[in-house]
Amino acid sequence: MSEIFPGVHIVDGVMAPGAPGGHVNVCLLVDGGAITMVDAGYRGSIREPLERYLASIGRKATDIRRIVITHHHMDHTGGLPAVVEM
């Protein structure tokens, strides 16, 4: 679990496809019952680590109320469809 500041979490295990050891920062801002997700990782990299991390903090994907994308690179936007589907 990576809570770097109260209410600010980095999702563990979001990796860059084809880049062993390369990770992507996906953050969750937890405020009461709502979560704001910042960035969504690469396509195909987010679902399992996000579900695992949310479960570890007693939350689920439906607690995500907002998604903020910092800029339009694939390591920030690629996982967006999967997160919306979740």
Side-chain angles (χ1 to χ4, degrees), residues 44-52 81-83 85-86:
S45 71
I46 190 66
R47 185 180 298 270
E48 184 180 323
L50 180 60
E51 287 176 339
R52 184 176 48 248
V83 175
E85 180 182 291
M86 293 169 66

Side-chain angles (χ1 to χ4, degrees), residues 3-84:
E3 185 173 20
I4 61 171
F5 193 77
V8 180
H9 301 256
I10 295 179
V11 178
D12 298 323
V14 182
M15 304 302 287
H23 70 279
V24 177
N25 289 325
V26 174
C27 297
L28 303 176
L29 309 176
V30 180
D31 183 20
I35 296 174
T36 299
M37 183 174 175
V38 180
D39 291 328
Y42 284 101
R43 181 177 48 165
S45 71
I46 190 66
R47 185 180 298 270
E48 184 180 323
L50 180 60
E51 287 176 339
R52 184 176 48 248
Y53 190 83
L54 287 168
S56 78
I57 62 170
R59 302 300 184 113
K60 53 188 183 280
T62 55
D63 294 329
I64 298 171
R65 299 284 189 252
R66 290 168 294 281
I67 303 169
V68 176
I69 301 297
T70 59
H71 61 281
H72 195 272
H73 286 162
M74 289 310 294
D75 59 328
H76 297 260
T77 62
L80 189 57
V83 175
V84 170

